[in-house]
Amino acid sequence: MSGARAGLGEDWWRWGEGTAPTLAWNFATEAPLVALRWARETGEVLAADAVGGMYQLDSSGRLTNLIRGPSPIRALSFSDTGGGGVALVGDDKLYWFNPQLVFQGCLEHSEQAASIALDPHGEYAAVSLADAEVVLYDCFRRRIRTFSTQQPLIALEFIPTVAELIGVAEYGMLCRYSFTGSKVYQQPLYSNVGDLAVARGGDVVLLACFSHGIQVHDETGEQVGSYQVGGTASRVAASYSGRKVAVVTMERHFYLVDETGHVEWQAILPDDVCRIACDPLGHSVILGFQSGHIARLDWPTSR
């Protein structure tokens, strides 16, 4: 039955269990999806495909801009205000683009880039390199600071409320650094990590730790709990408050979990997932499938 449901195409979400969402909109890129970001203030969605296509969608899922950029794009970061972003292209190139998706400049690095991040207002960018250095740039593409971490960071996020960054290494390390490069905390982990979500202004950090589920860490980096779901947790996203947590497993299961760990809705997905994102209030989730299909699911706003 799982295989039959997974092959139901656009109706897959109708077969979920729990409080049912509505399908707000669908969109499909022309080639496999490689990156997806959601601007938390404007509701805009930015997606990139495997042949350099970049797609800008408004909050209703309508295509507002499409350009052919450099390829291969490996990652995107988009300001919460929709004011532009950065793209990681190839092994080491970091590109900047404006709100109209016009590329405005590029910097190359001597080491392979592992992850990128952009602050909520689009004023500063960070790139983590394979030699375990993090480089900070301002909006004029000037290098303003470099600091070292114990391991290369596979995921990196600016904290929206303070000038700090949170990062995670693939093999067992969660860390937080100030904008000056000083270490706020460094916490060893005892499992590999596939994804990172930050909630409550950095006071809650959620890590998708595969067979160890979703691990929850506090403002000091200490683990304070976990969400255990069926399968191997590989993707995680959260509302700003952390009261709604979306989880995707390698077995193509999707879970919407509340802060007590109760599963409010679950479904079998029709394809492998590239990225997921939650809106700040936890009323919507966007799923970006590797095939290029993007879907937004909305839950009742009374919850």
Side-chain angles (χ1 to χ4, degrees):
M1 184 175 292
S2 297
R5 290 185 176 179
L8 288 175
E10 294 185 1
D11 290 335
W12 63 268
W13 59 280
R14 297 183 184 275
W15 296 91
E17 300 176 6
T19 303
T22 58
L23 181 65
W25 50 260
N26 277 308
F27 184 81
T29 58
E30 296 178 8
L33 189 70
V34 294
L36 180 73
R37 300 294 294 191
W38 197 356
R40 285 178 286 193
E41 292 188 18
T42 66
E44 294 173 283
V45 174
L46 187 67
D49 67 24
V51 295
M54 286 183 58
Y55 307 77
Q56 193 170 14
L57 312 176
D58 66 14
S59 58
S60 299
R62 291 186 294 262
L63 181 67
T64 58
N65 201 357
L66 169 61
I67 62 103
R68 299 299 176 189
S71 63
I73 294 174
R74 291 175 48 213
L76 290 173
S77 198
F78 196 39
S79 70
D80 285 341
T81 59
V86 290
L88 176 59
V89 180
D91 286 340
D92 56 13
K93 295 182 178 65
L94 185 65
Y95 281 83
W96 278 255
F97 55 87
N98 68 12
Q100 292 74 42
L101 307 188
V102 176
F103 283 80
Q104 299 179 306
C106 169
L107 291 174
E108 295 187 40
H109 299 86
S110 59
E111 297 286 336
Q112 183 174 8
S115 61
I116 59 173
L118 192 71
D119 84 289
H121 298 286
E123 297 175 349
Y124 298 97
V127 55
S128 174
L129 303 175
D131 62 356
E133 284 198 336
V134 174
V135 185
L136 296 179
Y137 297 97
D138 64 16
C139 59
F140 301 105
R141 300 185 294 280
R142 295 180 301 209
R143 182 182 292 219
I144 59 173
R145 189 163 295 110
T146 301
F147 60 89
S148 297
T149 58
Q150 185 173 316
Q151 301 178 48
L153 304 179
I154 62 161
L156 187 64
E157 293 286 346
F158 280 91
I159 300 174
T161 55
V162 293
E164 296 179 354
L165 300 99
I166 289 178
V168 64
E170 183 176 7
Y171 303 111
M173 184 187 73
L174 173 66
C175 57
R176 180 167 175 166
Y177 284 84
S178 72
F179 199 72
T180 62
S182 60
K183 187 190 303 178
V184 178
Y185 66 68
Q186 180 174 298
Q187 189 66 233
L189 306 172
Y190 301 100
S191 64
N192 294 348
V193 180
D195 202 7
L196 159 74
V198 177
R200 297 183 195 173
D203 288 347
V204 175
V205 179
L206 301 111
L207 305 177
C209 294
F210 301 110
S211 60
H212 293 267
I214 303 299
Q215 294 185 5
V216 184
H217 295 254
D218 66 11
E219 70 276 5
T220 69
E222 291 284 343
Q223 184 179 349
V224 293
S226 65
Y227 299 134
Q228 298 301 319
V229 296
T232 311
S234 58
R235 296 293 180 200
V236 63
S239 64
Y240 184 83
S241 67
R243 294 177 180 173
K244 303 296 180 184
V245 178
V247 183
V248 170
T249 73
M250 296 180 68
E251 295 82 9
R252 297 183 178 178
H253 284 73
F254 173 90
Y255 298 90
L256 183 71
V257 184
D258 68 16
E259 60 184 337
T260 70
H262 172 68
V263 176
E264 297 188 346
W265 187 74
Q266 60 182 302
I268 299 172
L269 302 175
D271 186 22
D272 293 331
V273 167
C274 172
R275 294 297 305 173
I276 57 172
C278 282
D279 79 303
L281 298 177
H283 296 156
S284 303
V285 174
I286 286 182
L287 295 122
F289 296 96
Q290 290 184 7
S291 62
H293 182 77
I294 302 170
R296 172 175 163 175
L297 301 176
D298 291 352
W299 275 267
T301 57
S302 60
R303 294 188 309 155

